[in-house]
Amino acid sequence: MCGIVGYLGQKSPVPLIVDSLRTLEYRGYDSAGVAYLDDESLLHVYKASGKLLNLEGILPNELRLPTLPAESVNGHRNIGIGHIRWATHGAATNVNAHPHTGSRQEIALVHNGIIENFYELRQELQAKGHQFVSETDTESVVQLLEHLAETETDFSKVILKALQKLQGAYALTVISKKFPNHLYAARHQAPLVVGVGKDQNGNDEYIVASDAVAIVNHTNRLIYLKDGEIVEISPAGLRIMNLQGEQVEPVIETISTDPLTIDKKGYKHFMLKEIYEQPDVVRNSLTGRLQSIHQPIWILGDTPEQEGRFDAHLSAINRIVIIGCGTSYNAGLVGKYFIEELVQLPVEVEAAGEFRYRNPFISDRDLVITMSQSGETADTLAALRLSHQKGAKVLTLTNREDSSMAREADFVMPVRAGVEVSVAATKSFTAQITALYLLGLSLAEKRQTLAPEQLESLKAELLKMPARIESVLHNTEPLQVLARKYGQARDVLFIARGVNFPVALEGALKLKEISYIHAEGYSGSELKHGPIAMLDSNVPVVSVLTKGPVFEKMISNCQEAKAREARLIGITNTPVPNELRDTFEDILEIPESVEHFSPMLTTIPLQLLAYYMAEYLGKDVDQPRNLAKSVTVE
Ligand code: AGP
């Protein structure tokens, strides 16, 4: 959460920083701010609560034009920092917006993360006369820098001393009017990337940002800073050191920028575009991994050595532990149902924020799978590290191959969803479950837990899923009607059983997060253990009914709900017998598939229902209140 940007080069920094912040708005939109040093080394700060648009509205005209101020004078380069906030400490107000400055207005700083010992630092510094103005943890850092700079003239030493005092997580960028040619940035448990590029005139320029998406319009040469690294950028070039002050050799990677390009492609919202991309997402996920029903499945898809190493590990494990948050957790649950049934291997699914703070039993006979679209979720990353400490090998299923999790895991399976901008995850869920299906099939193949004909038939079914998803997406009109009909509901329940139970959780999560309607997902069997008390004629119950072992059970659960006057909406892949149709006020039919893969289809109407309800209610679909796409604080 929170996005930070820093620039040092010959261009006008503010328009460039604002453009980069626009690509980071998925990380938060509670406030935005920029600070820059002018040619006389005066520090200017602009900040506004709310979205980036509000900041743009208060910027003077000359700061919106990319050509002004033109070339730097007096040998000073153009330097600035910017921030997009997801509030943790202190409300989303102007005064709490970043950049923060010290009492003497000499230093400006932007920060992503949480400084855990901020209060102690604040009290110490207040006792020494520093005047605090905000409620943020960040202000303690900038005041500390200003305090240390009173007695130390080497600013890199000031930064180093300050960082050594911090506890918690941070990615930060700092400028100082006393060192106008210097941009500093550092990270500890929060992502930070440095772009090393050239402007049109061949001058060196550097962009520091929380995510490569904010840099790739300028350069594809990136340095991914590691935890505890500090970068100093000056006219002399770039220097990296660690928290002990030792020099670290920079490693510049050249990346392909195509997958990071962001475009709505004519859709009203990113969420709708991303929902419609799902057939191609599944095709991409299968490409090179499941070529034909007669060939073995290829999981990691990079090199035979990597695949061989992974296979060797798979043959040694006796349990899988899948860890994730939110939608990634729900996707993990689908994996549990599928893999456990097909491979007869225990699979546990854990919420990362719980896993990391107990003392879980994990050993080198476990395969830990961290599921994360962003690859940066703080709790999931911490769970990955804890699993390593306990001796397990970790496979990360992520949509970002350049993420911290991808870098730290032993094995990486890219889920290949393409950039997901909307805060509500849709295509990444489908990509994640596709990856888990492939993993399950591959394990069944290697452990020979399925007869060859069964395996081939499942492979054939999986290859048919993209076309079936397409046909669900061709029938959206009924969902738009349902959205208008039930859009005023206060509470909505989602019920399902078996492998679709996680789909009920996911459907409820989607609806809550973008429409703010209270929604809960339950196993149909759990209704009578409590939630049924909520039901009356005002409560729509969305029921997922798929052909298979739990169809009749679900019908009974629906009738129990109907007997309490609930309004039943059935999403089904098999005709509901005529005598039972009255149980449902509305029925939406979707294509049939084997039970195992049905979540790939049942999820789509629930995503669309949430989308159309939120749109009908006039909500901010892509940037729902209080949320951020990448949760890099715990
Ligand atoms: C889903 O719509 C969410 N916005 C959220 O639950 C998300 O899935 C969760 O924060 C985990 O993110 P990750 O996959 O990037 O780790």
Side-chain angles (χ1 to χ4, degrees):
M1 356 254 337
C2 299
I4 67 174
V5 177
Y7 175 78
L8 191 151
Q10 300 289 340
K11 290 180 190 150
S12 176
V14 174
L16 184 146
I17 289 170
V18 169
D19 270 353
S20 297
L21 287 177
R22 199 167 291 118
T23 66
L24 294 182
E25 262 202 306
Y26 73 87
R27 301 180 71 87
Y29 28 82
D30 284 335
S31 66
V34 286
Y36 73 100
L37 293 169
D38 69 14
D39 292 336
E40 282 151 17
S41 301
L42 295 175
L43 179 64
H44 302 263
V45 180
Y46 293 90
K47 42 196 196 177
S49 60
K51 292 193 176 184
L52 186 61
L53 221 58
N54 298 352
L55 172 70
E56 290 177 276
I58 61 159
L59 288 176
N61 279 341
E62 67 272 20
L63 290 183
R64 299 185 201 179
L65 300 171
T67 48
L68 290 173
E71 294 292 310
S72 58
V73 291
N74 301 333
H76 289 178
R77 292 182 152 211
N78 288 313
I79 185 166
I81 56 178
H83 189 266
I84 202 93
R85 180 167 188 243
W86 185 82
T88 58
H89 295 55
T93 57
N94 266 12
V95 76
N96 289 330
H98 300 217
H100 287 285
T101 51
S103 314
R104 289 197 308 276
Q105 305 289 305
E106 284 177 358
I107 299 171
L109 173 144
V110 288
H111 164 226
N112 165 34
I114 289 179
I115 304 301
E116 285 165 3
N117 58 337
F118 84 98
Y119 190 64
E120 293 87 312
L121 291 171
R122 187 181 178 114
Q123 284 186 317
E124 232 175 80
L125 290 158
Q126 275 173 334
K128 288 175 178 150
H130 290 262
Q131 304 286 322
F132 280 69
V133 292
S134 80
E135 304 155 277
T136 64
D137 52 338
T138 306
E139 194 183 353
S140 296
V141 185
V142 73
Q143 297 279 16
L144 176 63
L145 287 169
E146 225 177 63
H147 178 70
L148 294 168
E150 285 168 14
T151 48
E152 172 61 71
T153 49
D154 179 343
F155 201 51
S156 62
K157 289 199 178 134
V158 170
I159 302 265
L160 204 60
K161 280 187 190 164
L163 296 184
Q164 285 164 350
K165 280 179 148 273
L166 301 186
Q167 286 163 19
Y170 56 79
L172 44 87
T173 306
V174 184
I175 53 175
S176 161
K177 57 197 266 190
K178 279 197 183 160
F179 304 90
N181 287 329
H182 288 67
L183 177 71
Y184 288 89
R187 74 158 270 184
H188 180 61
Q189 294 178 4
L192 200 59
V193 191
V194 184
V196 181
K198 297 246 182 240
D199 65 17
Q200 301 87 326
N201 302 324
N203 300 307
D204 291 339
E205 65 178 1
Y206 302 89
I207 305 165
V208 180
S210 301
D211 186 327
V213 292
I215 300 176
V216 291
N217 280 343
H218 304 278
T219 178
N220 64 347
R221 299 180 68 232
L222 305 179
I223 300 172
Y224 289 90
L225 290 186
K226 297 196 182 68
D227 271 353
E229 287 185 348
I230 304 158
V231 61
E232 176 193 69
I233 302 166
S234 71
L238 170 147
R239 186 164 77 99
I240 297 179
M241 58 191 155
N242 61 22
L243 280 176
Q244 290 69 49
E246 297 154 349
Q247 299 290 315
V248 174
E249 201 49 44
V251 180
I252 302 183
E253 296 177 30
T254 304
I255 61 145
S256 153
T257 56
D258 281 3
L260 299 178
T261 309
I262 293 175
D263 183 4
K264 235 184 253 174
K265 294 202 173 126
Y267 284 91
K268 187 169 177 194
H269 295 102
F270 279 108
M271 181 177 178
L272 193 59
K273 171 187 159 249
E274 288 158 5
I275 290 173
Y276 272 86
E277 282 172 345
Q278 290 176 107
D280 282 338
V281 164
V282 177
R283 282 188 192 101
N284 284 344
S285 303
L286 299 180
T287 303
R289 292 169 170 162
L290 174 57
Q291 298 284 58
S292 86
I293 61 169
H294 305 298
Q295 283 176 2
I297 288 170
W298 186 259
I299 289 293
L300 305 182
D302 265 358
T303 59
E305 293 72 37
Q306 197 192 21
E307 193 77 9
R309 213 163 50 85
F310 185 53
D311 278 357
H313 186 61
L314 281 190
S315 61
I317 57 161
N318 54 20
R319 185 175 70 142
I320 292 179
V321 180
I322 304 178
I323 307 172
C325 299
T327 290
S328 293
Y329 170 84
N330 293 342
L333 281 176
V334 174
K336 173 183 169 73
Y337 277 87
F338 181 70
I339 298 172
E340 223 164 53
E341 182 173 339
L342 261 65
V343 189
Q344 289 297 296
L345 186 69
V347 180
E348 284 170 25
V349 185
E350 297 255 7
E354 291 302 316
F355 177 89
R356 64 178 293 198
Y357 286 117
R358 53 191 192 85
N359 186 9
F361 176 77
I362 293 287
S363 79
D364 58 358
R365 302 297 304 279
D366 292 320
L367 172 67
V368 170
I369 304 180
T370 50
M371 309 269 299
S372 176
Q373 187 285 128
S374 61
E376 300 293 350
T377 299
D379 283 331
T380 316
L381 186 57
L384 184 159
R385 291 173 178 159
L386 179 62
S387 306
H388 270 165
Q389 279 165 26
K390 289 181 172 275
K393 291 260 189 294
V394 178
L395 165 69
T396 273
L397 260 64
T398 181
N399 199 26
R400 294 297 301 268
E401 287 174 71
D402 57 347
S403 62
S404 304
M405 277 181 230
R407 283 160 190 281
E408 294 191 27
D410 303 279
F411 309 104
V412 182
M413 184 175 185
V415 301
R416 302 185 186 159
V419 175
E420 190 175 62
V421 176
S422 179
V423 165
T426 53
K427 62 176 180 171
S428 61
F429 174 82
T430 299
Q432 286 170 332
I433 61 174
T434 306
L436 289 170
Y437 286 138
L438 285 167
L439 180 66
L441 288 176
S442 165
L443 273 164
E445 191 163 55
K446 290 181 179 113
R447 298 194 169 210
Q448 300 180 340
T449 53
L450 289 180
E453 327 68 81
Q454 277 179 302
L455 194 62
E456 285 182 4
S457 139
L458 283 174
K459 285 181 180 176
E461 279 291 312
L462 191 52
L463 286 166
K464 287 181 196 151
M465 295 311 285
R468 290 178 182 155
I469 299 174
E470 247 151 26
S471 86
V472 179
L473 290 168
H474 284 145
N475 185 27
T476 61
E477 182 55 34
L479 288 160
Q480 299 183 41
V481 173
L482 289 181
R484 290 192 289 271
K485 183 170 170 186
Y486 296 104
Q488 298 300 337
R490 202 190 59 178
D491 309 291
V492 179
L493 291 194
F494 290 76
I495 55 170
R497 296 185 74 157
V499 71
N500 280 289
F501 161 57
V503 173
L505 298 179
E506 181 58 12
L509 176 60
K510 286 291 89 85
L511 187 64
K512 296 189 250 228
E513 71 178 328
I514 60 168
S515 73
Y516 320 142
I517 293 172
H518 170 239
E520 299 297 339
Y522 290 103
S523 155
S525 67
E526 278 292 307
L527 260 195
K528 54 187 162 300
H529 298 290
I532 203 163
M534 287 175 63
L535 299 185
D536 62 25
S537 59
N538 295 315
V539 181
V541 178
V542 181
S543 343
V544 178
L545 306 136
T546 50
K547 190 176 176 182
V550 286
F551 181 76
E552 280 75 24
K553 307 285 167 212
M554 269 304 296
I555 290 282
S556 305
N557 298 147
C558 290
Q559 283 175 327
E560 288 156 13
K562 176 73 179 169
R564 275 78 189 175
E565 296 183 0
R567 307 170 74 184
L568 269 294
I569 302 159
I571 310 284
T572 179
N573 66 3
T574 184
V576 174
N578 278 342
E579 64 277 17
L580 295 173
R581 283 190 89 88
D582 280 357
T583 314
F584 299 91
E585 192 163 324
D586 296 283
I587 290 189
L588 181 82
E589 289 191 12
I590 58 170
E592 203 184 318
S593 71
V594 290
E595 174 78 350
H596 299 300
F597 301 139
S598 58
M600 295 174 100
L601 303 179
T602 53
T603 307
I604 314 283
L606 303 194
Q607 294 171 344
L608 284 164
L609 186 63
Y611 172 79
Y612 288 124
M613 278 172 110
E615 212 224 348
Y616 166 73
L617 294 170
K619 303 296 184 206
D620 191 342
V621 172
D622 284 331
Q623 296 183 332
R625 70 182 182 204
N626 304 339
L627 295 178
K629 181 89 186 145
S630 184
V631 184
T632 55
V633 293
E634 55 173 296

